[in-house]
C-alpha cells in the first residue's frame, strides 16, 4: 500500500529533483529524532498481523471473465459500513485490487488459530458489497493483464497525474516509430505510464499511484522495460507471439514484454508484520528473515504466466522489480538492483559480518547517524534506504519541521520495496516492527493462513533459540533468483546454513518437548525439502522441527496446538512436494485445458474456466480447500450466485 498521506498536489519529478539532497538530509534528521525517542522502547506483548492483497474479477452474461475496476467504489462502501470492524481495507496500486488486514493486531500465539477465520470474514464482508457476477479472488497475477478483453472502467473518479506548474514539460515517450497506430493511440492516452499495452484506467485513483508511475518513468529517463522469460512448449513460436512487440524499445527475444508498473505492482502479495520486544530484537529478526525470504518465496510461488503467455518462471518478483526500476543507465552500474529487490544489508551484530555485497550507501546519512551515536551497521542500513531518491512528495509536505514531522523518511522507506523491511516507531506507543514481504498470494484462506502462521512461528522460534541462519548476503541474492525458477521445488537448491541439534534422528528432533542449544555448521546447498523437513545425512533437523520444538515448549491448549499443527504439516507437505505449489497447480490447469494448443498462449476461454474454478475454491461452503491435486479443467458455467458449489477437482486439507 505504501505511505498514503496526502497534503496538496503531488509534485512532478522535475520539481522534486532540485530538492533531493535537502529532502534526504531532512529524512536522515527525522530518523535520528525517532531513534533518540524510541531506541529504548520495549514491549512485552507479542503483536503481529497479516496483509492480504486481493483481486476483483467479474463474469459477463456469456461467462467471460475480466478484471473488475470498481475497487474505489467498493472501498467507499466498506468504509461506510459499521459492520466491517473485523478488518481494515485499504487501496492498492491497481483499481482492481484491495488490501485487507485484521482491524486489530493479534496478541498471542494462541491467536494463530484465528488467522483463517478472520480471512474468511474479510471475504464475506466484501462479498456483501459486490454486485452480481463479481468476485474476490486471492490470485497473485491476472493471466491476461494487458491482453483483450480489456476491463471497462465505469468510475467517474479519474487518476491524478502530477503536472508541473507553468509551461508543460514535453513528454514524447509514446512517439516511437515501431508502434502500431493502436499502440501509439493507447500510449498517448496514458499520461502516467505511456504504456503500449495497458490503460492508465487500471491504476487506482489515489494521487500517490499516478505520481509514482509518472515519476519513476521520468526519473529513469525512459519507460520501464519488463521482460519475463517465455515458456517454450512444443508448439511455441516466439516470433508469432511477439510479432507486434519485437521491434519495440527494450524488448528481449524469447521474453514476454511489458512496459508499465501495472504489470508488476498490479500483482498480489501476502505480507506479515511482527512487533518485536525492542530494537535489538527487531534487528536480529530482520536479518534472519532475509535468509528465509527465498525459501518461502519458492514455496508460495504462484505466478506462472504474464500477459497471456506462460512464463519460464514461477514467481512475480523479478517482474515487479523491473516494473518499478527508476535507475538511470549510469546508475545501473552502481545500484545492483531495482527499488523492489533483495534486502541490501544485515543490521545485527550476528549478521553484519556477512555483509559482502557492495551496495550504494548515502554517506551523508551515515555521517548524520554516526554523529548522533548510532552504530555503524544501523547507520549503513538507514544510508541504504536513503540512497534512493524520493519519488512522491506532496506540495504541502515539501517543507517540514524535523522536530515534529517524519513524512520524508517514511515516504522514502515506503518506496523501498525490499524482501524484509524494518519499521521505525513513528509515535508514542508504536514499536519496532519487521515486515516480511516476499510471499505470493495463495488461492485459499487456509493456505494464506498457514504461511502467515509459519512466518510468525518461525520468528518466535528463532528469537527463542537465538539460532543464527545468516549466510553471506550475496548468497541470499542468489537464492532469490533460484527460488523463482520454474518448479524450483524440484529443480533448485538454495544456499542455507545447516544447524545440528542433539538428537539422533529427524523423528526424535520433531518429537522433542523443549528447545535445545543449536550448533551451526557449514553453509551448503539444500533442497526446499531439506531446508524445511531436515537433511538426515547431516542430522540437520529443518525449520519444521525448529517450530515444532518451540510449540511443544509452550504448553498450549490441545485444540490450539492441533490447529497450529495443521498449518505446520501443510507447509511440511508442500516443501516435500506432496502438495504442488500454486504455480505448479495453475500451470497444470492451463496446460491440461482442452483449449490449450501447447503454444504457451493462455487464451481467454482458458482464463474464464480457470477463474471459475478459483472462485469455487473460496466459496463459503467449501471446507478449508486447497488445490492439492492435479486440476481437471472443465467448462461448466459459473453459478448464478456468489456461492458456487464445491469443485470436484480439489481435495480438502485434512
Amino acid at each position: 500500500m505504501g505511505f498514503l498521506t496526502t497534503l496538496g498536489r503531488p509534485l512532478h519529478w522535475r520539481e522534486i529533483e532540485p530538492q533531493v539532497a535537502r529532502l534526504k538530509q531532512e529524512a536522515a534528521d527525522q530518523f535520528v529524532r525517532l531513534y533518540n525517542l524510541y531506541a529504548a522502547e520495549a514491549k512485552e506483548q507479542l503483536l503481529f498481523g497479516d496483509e492480504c492483497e486481493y483481486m476483483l474479477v467479474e463474469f459477463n452474461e456469456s461467462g467471460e471473465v475480466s478484471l473488475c475496476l470498481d475497487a474505489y467504489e467498493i472501498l467507499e462502501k466498506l468504509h461506510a459500513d459499521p459492520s466491517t470492524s473485523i478488518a481494515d481495507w485499504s487501496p492498492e496500486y491497481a483499481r482492481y485490487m484491495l488490501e485487507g488486514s485484521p482491524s486489530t493486531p493479534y496478541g498471542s500465539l494462541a491467536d494463530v488459530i484465528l488467522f483463517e477465520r478472520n480471512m474468511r470474514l474479510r471475504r464475506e464482508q466484501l462479498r456483501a458489497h459486490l454486485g452480481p457476477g463479481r468476485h474476490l479472488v486471492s490470485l497473485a497475477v491476472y493471466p491476461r493483464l494487458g491482453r483483450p478483453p480489456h476491463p471497462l472502467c465505469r468510475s467517474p473518479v479519474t487518476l491524478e497525474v502530477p503536472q508541473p506548474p507553468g509551461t508543460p514539460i514535453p513528454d514524447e515517450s509514446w512517439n516511437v516509430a515501431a508502434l502500431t497506430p493502436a499502440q501509439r493511440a493507447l500510449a498517448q492516452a496514458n499520461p502516467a505510464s505511456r504504456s503500449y499495452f495497458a490503460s492508465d484506467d487500471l491504476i487506482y485513483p489515489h494521487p500517490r499511484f499516478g505520481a509514482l508511475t509518472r515519476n519513476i518513468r521520468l526519473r529513469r529517463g525512459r519507460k520501464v522495460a519488463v521482460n519475463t522469460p517465455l515458456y517454450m512448449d512444443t508448439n511455441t513460436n516466439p516470433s508469432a507471439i511477439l510479432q507486434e512487440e519485437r521491434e519495440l524499445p527494450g524488448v528481449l527475444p524469447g521474453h514476454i514484454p511489458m512496459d508499465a508498473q501495472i504489470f508488476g505492482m498490479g500483482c498480489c502479495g501476502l505480507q506479515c508484520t511482527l512487533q518485536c520486544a525492542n530494537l535489538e530484537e527487531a534487528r536480529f529478526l530482520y536479518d534472519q528473515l532475509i535468509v528465509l525470504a527465498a525459501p518461502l518465496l519458492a514455496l508460495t510461488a504462484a505466478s506462472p504466466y504474464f500477459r497471456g503467455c506462460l512464463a519460464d518462471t514461477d514467481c512475480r518478483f523479478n517482474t515487479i522489480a523491473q516494473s518499478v526500476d527508476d535507475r538511470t543507465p549510469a546508475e545501473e552500474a552502481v545500484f545492483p538492483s531495482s527499488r523492489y529487490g533483495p534486502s541490501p544489508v544485515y543490521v545485527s551484530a550476528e549478521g553484519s559480518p556477512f555483509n559482502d555485497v557492495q551496495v550504494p550507501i548515502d554517506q551523508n546519512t551515515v555521517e548524520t547517524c554516526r554523529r548522533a551515536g548510532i552504530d555503524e551497521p544501523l547507520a549503513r542500513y538507514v544510508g541504504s534506504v536513503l540512497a534512493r531518491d524520493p519519488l512522491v512528495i506532496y506540495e504541502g509536505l515539501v517543507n517540514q519541521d524535523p522536530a515534529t514531522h517524519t513524512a520524508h523518511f517514511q515516504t522514502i522507506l515506503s518506496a523501498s520495496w525490499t524482501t524484509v523491511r524494518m519499521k521505525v516507531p513513528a509515535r508514542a506507543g508504536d514499536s519496532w516492527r519487521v515486515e516480511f514481504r516476499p510471499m505470493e498470494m495463495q488461492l485459499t484462506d487456509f493456505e494464506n493462513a498457514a504461511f502467515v502462521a509459519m512466518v510468525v512461528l518461525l520468528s518466535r522460534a528463532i528469537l527463542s533459540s537465538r539460532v543464527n541462519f545468516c549466510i553471506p548476503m550475496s548468497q541470499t541474492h542468489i537464492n532469490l533468483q533460484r527460488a523463482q525458477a520454474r518448479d524450483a521445488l524440484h529443480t533448485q537448491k538454495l544456499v542455507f546454513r545447516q544447524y545440528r541439534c542433539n538428537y539422533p534422528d529427524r523423528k526424535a528432533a520433531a518429537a522433542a518437548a523443549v528447545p535445545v542449544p543449536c550448533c551451526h555448521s557449514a553453509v551448503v546447498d539444500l533442497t526446499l525439502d531439506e531446508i524445511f523437513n531436515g537433511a538426515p545425512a547431516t542430522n540437520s533437523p529443518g525449520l519444521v522441527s525448529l517450530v515444532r520444538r518451540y510449540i511443544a515448549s509452550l504448553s498450549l491448549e490441545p485444540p490450539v496446538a492441533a490447529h497450529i499443527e495443521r498449518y505446520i504439516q501443510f507447509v511440511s507437505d508442500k516443501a516435500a512436494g506432496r502438495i504442488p505449489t500454486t504455480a505448479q497447480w495453475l500451470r497444470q490447469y492451463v496446460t491440461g485445458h482442452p483449449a490449450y494448443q501447447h503454444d504457451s498462449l493462455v487464451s481467454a476461454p482458458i482464463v474464464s474456466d480457470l477463474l471459475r474454478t478459483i472462485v469455487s475454491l473460496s466459496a463459503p461452503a467449501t471446507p478449508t480447500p486447497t488445490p492439492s491435486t492435479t486440476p481437471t479443467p472443465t467448462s461448466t458455467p459459473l453459478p448464478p450466485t456468489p456461492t458456487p458449489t464445491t469443485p470436484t477437482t480439489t481435495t480438502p486439507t485434512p
Side-chain angles (χ1 to χ4, degrees), residues 357-370:
V357 175
Q358 295 297 318
V359 297
I361 302 290
D362 186 79
Q363 290 303 323
N364 288 334
T365 296
V366 173
E367 292 171 8
T368 297
C369 291
R370 297 293 284 138

Side-chain angles (χ1 to χ4, degrees), residues 85-124:
S85 58
I86 192 99
D88 285 339
W89 292 98
S90 306
E92 259 299 340
Y93 179 85
R95 204 186 281 255
Y96 53 81
M97 294 171 66
L98 288 170
E99 180 183 277
S101 58
S103 56
T104 56
Y106 300 108
S108 72
L109 280 180
D111 286 347
V112 168
I113 67 173
L114 303 177
F115 288 177
E116 186 181 358
R117 176 177 177 272
N118 186 280
M119 291 177 183
R120 281 185 177 170
L121 288 174
R122 290 177 220 172
R123 288 186 190 263
E124 292 175 12

Side-chain angles (χ1 to χ4, degrees), residues 54 123 136-140 302 305 440-448 581-583 585-586 610 613-619 625-627 650:
Y54 299 97
R123 288 186 190 263
L136 182 75
V137 292
S138 49
L139 187 65
Y305 40 55
E440 307 207 329
M441 277 298 282
Q442 307 298 287
L443 299 179
T444 68
D445 296 329
F446 173 80
E447 295 168 285
N448 289 315
T581 66
T582 299
W585 189 90
L586 292 168
L610 173 62
T613 301
I614 290 171
V615 166
S616 67
L617 283 173
S618 60
T626 63
T650 60

Side-chain angles (χ1 to χ4, degrees), residues 208-535:
R208 168 182 165 86
F209 301 127
L212 186 67
T213 303
R214 183 165 195 172
N215 287 345
I216 284 175
R217 180 170 56 81
L218 294 177
R219 188 193 183 282
R220 175 183 169 88
R222 61 208 190 284
K223 286 174 50 175
V224 295
V226 184
N227 290 279
T228 298
L230 175 67
Y231 170 67
M232 304 299 293
D233 209 340
T234 54
N235 296 331
T236 303
N237 184 345
S239 298
I241 293 175
L242 308 176
Q243 185 173 5
E244 293 186 354
E245 295 97 337
R246 58 186 176 183
E247 300 299 327
L248 295 177
V251 173
L252 298 180
H255 288 68
I256 306 165
M258 294 163 278
D259 69 340
Q261 283 81 8
I262 191 69
F263 292 104
M265 301 302 275
C267 302
C268 295
L270 174 66
Q271 303 166 12
C272 54
T273 300
L274 306 130
Q275 175 179 287
C276 297
N278 49 50
L279 173 57
E280 186 278 332
E281 185 175 278
R283 294 171 67 168
F284 181 77
L285 181 60
Y286 171 87
D287 287 358
Q288 304 310 310
L289 291 180
I290 289 174
V291 182
L292 298 181
L296 283 159
L297 173 62
L299 275 198
T300 60
S303 307
Y305 40 55
F306 291 91
R307 223 179 132 244
C309 300
L310 285 174
D312 204 31
T313 57
D314 275 355
C315 298
R316 75 204 200 287
F317 192 90
N318 281 351
T319 298
I320 303 177
Q322 295 174 80
S323 77
V324 295
D325 190 355
D326 71 330
R327 294 174 298 171
T328 65
E331 287 174 335
E332 289 180 356
V334 179
F335 284 81
S337 65
S338 164
R339 286 174 174 266
Y340 188 103
S343 297
V345 293
Y346 292 120
V347 296
S348 70
E350 293 84 353
S352 55
F354 296 97
N355 282 324
D356 66 338
V357 175
Q358 295 297 318
V359 297
I361 302 290
D362 186 79
Q363 290 303 323
N364 288 334
T365 296
V366 173
E367 292 171 8
T368 297
C369 291
R370 297 293 284 138
R371 286 195 298 269
I374 297 173
D375 60 86
E376 182 74 17
L378 185 57
R380 285 179 57 80
Y381 166 75
V382 181
S384 72
V385 172
L386 299 186
R388 306 286 183 175
D389 290 347
L391 289 173
V392 181
I393 298 291
Y394 297 98
E395 193 172 33
L397 294 175
V398 172
N399 298 304
Q400 299 178 15
D401 180 357
T404 57
H405 288 80
T406 63
H408 290 338
F409 177 75
Q410 300 292 351
T411 294
I412 298 175
L413 179 65
S414 72
S416 177
W417 300 287
T418 50
T419 51
V420 187
R421 181 187 286 162
M422 189 159 60
K423 291 189 167 184
V424 181
R427 61 187 65 84
D430 282 358
S431 60
W432 296 89
R433 291 150 292 152
V434 177
E435 184 181 52
F436 189 69
R437 302 174 47 81
M439 297 189 295
E440 307 207 329
M441 277 298 282
Q442 307 298 287
L443 299 179
T444 68
D445 296 329
F446 173 80
E447 295 168 285
N448 289 315
F451 280 114
V452 172
M454 191 64 181
V455 173
V456 171
L457 296 170
L458 267 173
S459 299
R460 296 302 142 184
I462 288 169
L463 291 173
S464 175
S465 64
R466 297 296 288 192
V467 59
N468 181 14
F469 288 111
C470 287
I471 59 177
M473 181 62 75
S474 59
Q475 299 291 348
T476 69
H477 295 187
I478 292 171
N479 281 351
L480 282 170
Q481 296 306 310
R482 293 179 180 178
Q484 299 175 69
R486 176 165 54 89
D487 197 17
L489 181 64
H490 296 107
T491 65
Q492 299 295 311
K493 289 188 175 184
L494 305 183
V495 181
F496 207 74
R497 182 173 297 281
Q498 291 177 298
Y499 71 99
R500 297 189 180 95
C501 292
N502 300 323
Y503 301 107
D505 55 38
R506 178 166 41 170
K507 183 177 181 181
V514 295
V516 299
C518 299
C519 61
H520 302 91
S521 58
V523 174
V524 296
D525 284 354
L526 295 177
T527 65
L528 287 167
D529 186 24
E530 291 170 331
I531 289 172
F532 283 91
N533 294 319

